[in-house]
Structures are given as C-alpha cells and as structure tokens.
Amino acid sequence: MPTSAIERQLLGYRLTTAKILYHLPDHPSLLQTFIWQNLDLAPHFPELNRFLAFWQREIEGKLHSVTVATAGLIRGAELRYAGGHFTLH
C-alpha cells in the first residue's frame, strides 16, 4: 500500500466524505450525525467499508444511513482566458 497521501492520489484515491446518521444508544428515536473523511478508492470504497464494519462491531449506535461524496484532488490543469487586458507599471 502506498505510504503518502500524494502517492495514493496518483494511484486513483479520491477525497471521500461520508455523512453517517446513527441512532443514539440511550435514545434510539433520536439521530446524530458523524462526518468521516479520508482518501478512498471509488466506487468500492474499501476504507469506508472497513470503518463501517468497525462501527457496527464496536460502537453501540445503530447506523441509520450513510451518504457518500467523492472528489479527485489531483486533476489536469484548468486554463481559462481572462476577459480583460491588464497592464503593470
């Protein structure tokens, strides 16, 4: 496995954010939000799945739903022409 974040991004890892809604253990009718963010491989999300397995195994709050968003941090240059002419000095 790559050691640095930049190596992982070059191999296709993307910044992944998961909004996790879970039931409070003492008040199951109430929901709480937890935000998880890490570099992960879309579309299978092995890191997120590993975290959710840990959650179900070790944490008392029962999962309600998980919403996932992902974005690449490294991408090709985005060039645009400026709409004006600028003079210095």
Side-chain angles (χ1 to χ4, degrees), residues 2-40:
T3 56
S4 72
I6 192 74
E7 287 176 323
R8 289 187 287 170
Q9 290 177 52
L10 291 172
L11 291 173
Y13 282 74
R14 300 165 59 95
L15 182 63
T16 303
T17 304
K19 181 174 92 171
I20 301 168
L21 286 176
Y22 65 96
H23 297 274
L24 291 175
D26 295 338
H27 303 283
S29 61
L30 297 177
L31 293 174
Q32 180 76 22
T33 302
F34 180 82
I35 302 295
W36 176 90
Q37 192 171 55
N38 204 352
L39 291 175
D40 208 351

Side-chain angles (χ1 to χ4, degrees), residues 1 11-12 15 29 35 41 45 55 74:
M1 179 168 183
L11 291 173
L15 182 63
S29 61
I35 302 295
L41 281 170
F45 303 109
W55 183 295
I74 296 179

Side-chain angles (χ1 to χ4, degrees), residues 3 7 12 17 22 27 36 42-43 45 48-52 57-58 61 63 66 68 74-75 88:
T3 56
E7 287 176 323
T17 304
Y22 65 96
H27 303 283
W36 176 90
F45 303 109
L48 177 58
N49 285 321
R50 191 174 4 265
F51 176 75
L52 293 175
R57 188 176 61 249
E58 302 291 333
L63 293 174
V66 179
V68 179
I74 296 179
R75 52 188 136 181
L88 297 175

